[in-house]
Amino acid sequence: QVYSLDWTPEKNRIVSASQDGRLIVWNALTSQKTHAIKLPCAWVMTCAFSPFGQSVACGGLDSVCSIFHLNSPTDKEGNLPLSRMLSGHKGYVSACQYVPDEEGHMITGSGDQTCILWDITTGLRTSVFGGEFQSGHSADVLSVSINASNPKLFVSGSCDTTARLWDTRVASRAQRTFYGHEGDVNIVKFFPDGNRFGTGSDDGTCRLFDIRTGHQLQVYYQPHGDGDIPHVTSIAFSISGRLLFAGYSNGDCYVWDTLLAKVVLNLGSLQNSHEGRISCLGLSADGSALCTGSWDTNLKIWAFGGHRTVI
């Protein structure tokens, strides 16, 4: 089962994490593996590519964030050695993201209800967000998203049904709390302009929030007649922000028009779509392709010219 994926900002490479206990780096154009990294802990939940594509990171039930430099020499068995272990969370690591445009800092989210900003070079915590502070999350943090326009800002989503906006310069309190969801907030993702962000939840909805006003701007929900509401597991925005891609626990992958809040396309209804839960998705840096990962063990790349690669 594939749990997480991330694209490199440069070139066409993807890193994926799955239940087989490996991180795999793929060439998205050829679907060839360039690295298969055996992990110290097989129970991996999240992975990320560094901004310049030099290293990959992952986290999971071992409560640490492990970092691997892709250019490091391999050992006798051909395994890539662990370059750095970021240890400090008291619960599973659910999310990790490198601070944009620098290889030296990372933000993680955890089941211990906190987020941490790390100095990767030293392996030390720079700031902890939440925990004993009143304005922190009151349940597991499931997702983080850093604002590409202003990397000092990030949002977190949690099992407490809220999303929170943080400023890394003021760790002691959340800048704003966003309400509206009626279930776990599984995923948060900044809108391209940096002034808004999207969320996806177990309540079956995606929502769009404004970080300046705190207002909910839009709800994306497709009614289901059978009464069983599929959970939203992952989201991504197109480069322009006009489209919202949302993956669901029933294998659907809706392409929403963000302005009209209408479904333009369901990738899950197309031939050769995934046969299980969509667990993760991500857009290539140039916006020309979407990669979806699923519990059916496959990654699929959907290119917006109609060509698709399965890896």
Side-chain angles (χ1 to χ4, degrees):
Q1 294 179 348
V2 179
Y3 276 95
S4 180
L5 69 86
D6 193 27
W7 290 81
T8 47
E10 43 69 48
K11 295 183 183 165
N12 290 290
R13 290 185 296 160
I14 296 166
V15 61
S16 63
S18 89
Q19 220 176 23
D20 61 10
R22 290 180 184 276
L23 281 186
I24 296 179
V25 179
W26 308 86
N27 179 323
L29 293 178
T30 65
S31 75
Q32 298 297 308
K33 299 176 192 176
T34 63
H35 297 80
I37 303 165
K38 194 175 179 187
L39 299 176
C41 169
W43 301 101
V44 63
M45 301 175 73
T46 181
C47 63
F49 241 122
S50 67
F52 306 119
Q54 303 293 316
S55 63
V56 291
C58 68
L61 294 188
D62 58 357
S63 304
V64 301
C65 184
S66 302
I67 295 172
F68 300 87
H69 287 302
L70 297 178
N71 297 328
S72 298
T74 56
D75 64 19
K76 291 172 189 160
E77 280 94 48
N79 294 319
L80 209 58
L82 184 64
S83 299
R84 177 70 71 192
M85 193 178 276
L86 306 179
S87 182
H89 278 299
K90 298 183 179 70
Y92 63 87
V93 175
S94 56
C96 62
Q97 187 185 348
Y98 285 84
V99 175
D101 299 325
E102 52 171 297
E103 300 269 321
H105 289 89
M106 158 106 50
I107 292 177
T108 54
S110 169
D112 65 11
Q113 307 180 10
T114 71
C115 303
I116 294 179
L117 172 65
W118 301 88
D119 183 323
I120 296 172
T121 310
T122 63
L124 299 176
R125 290 177 285 188
T126 301
S127 305
V128 180
F129 306 88
E132 70 272 21
F133 299 120
Q134 288 283 309
S135 63
H137 285 293
S138 58
D140 306 19
V141 175
L142 299 178
S143 178
V144 297
S145 179
I146 303 170
N147 190 332
S149 310
N150 179 3
K152 299 283 188 242
L153 300 179
F154 74 95
V155 287
S156 56
S158 166
C159 291
D160 65 11
T161 76
T162 72
R164 290 173 203 242
L165 174 70
W166 304 88
D167 185 323
T168 56
R169 297 160 294 194
V170 190
S172 57
R173 60 185 175 83
Q175 298 297 296
R176 203 182 281 281
T177 301
F178 301 84
Y179 300 95
H181 280 295
E182 296 170 14
D184 297 359
V185 179
N186 296 318
I187 185 77
V188 289
K189 195 75 67 158
F190 262 103
F191 195 77
D193 68 4
N195 293 321
R196 293 166 279 180
F197 69 92
T199 56
S201 167
D202 277 359
D203 65 13
T205 70
C206 302
R207 293 166 196 251
L208 188 65
F209 292 95
D210 189 311
I211 66 169
R212 297 160 298 183
T213 65
H215 293 159
Q216 179 178 291
L217 302 174
Q218 194 62 273
V219 180
Y220 307 93
Y221 177 66
Q222 188 79 340
H224 286 75
D226 54 11
D228 192 22
I229 299 171
H231 301 166
V232 182
T233 62
S234 45
I235 61 169
F237 289 103
S238 63
I239 297 281
S240 68
R242 185 63 196 261
L243 301 177
L244 167 66
F245 304 95
Y248 294 81
S249 56
N250 64 349
D252 282 336
C253 183
Y254 289 153
V255 183
W256 291 93
D257 182 309
T258 53
L259 290 177
L260 304 177
K262 288 191 165 41
V263 175
V264 179
L265 178 67
N266 178 12
L267 297 178
S269 68
L270 302 182
Q271 197 174 9
N272 297 329
S273 58
H274 285 292
E275 294 173 9
R277 174 190 185 98
I278 306 274
S279 50
C280 49
L281 54 76
L283 199 70
S284 62
D286 65 359
S288 67
L290 179 79
C291 184
T292 52
S294 168
W295 283 12
D296 67 6
T297 77
N298 291 319
L299 296 168
K300 293 178 191 277
I301 297 174
W302 310 82
F304 302 118
H307 181 70
R308 195 193 73 251
T309 306
V310 181
I311 58 179

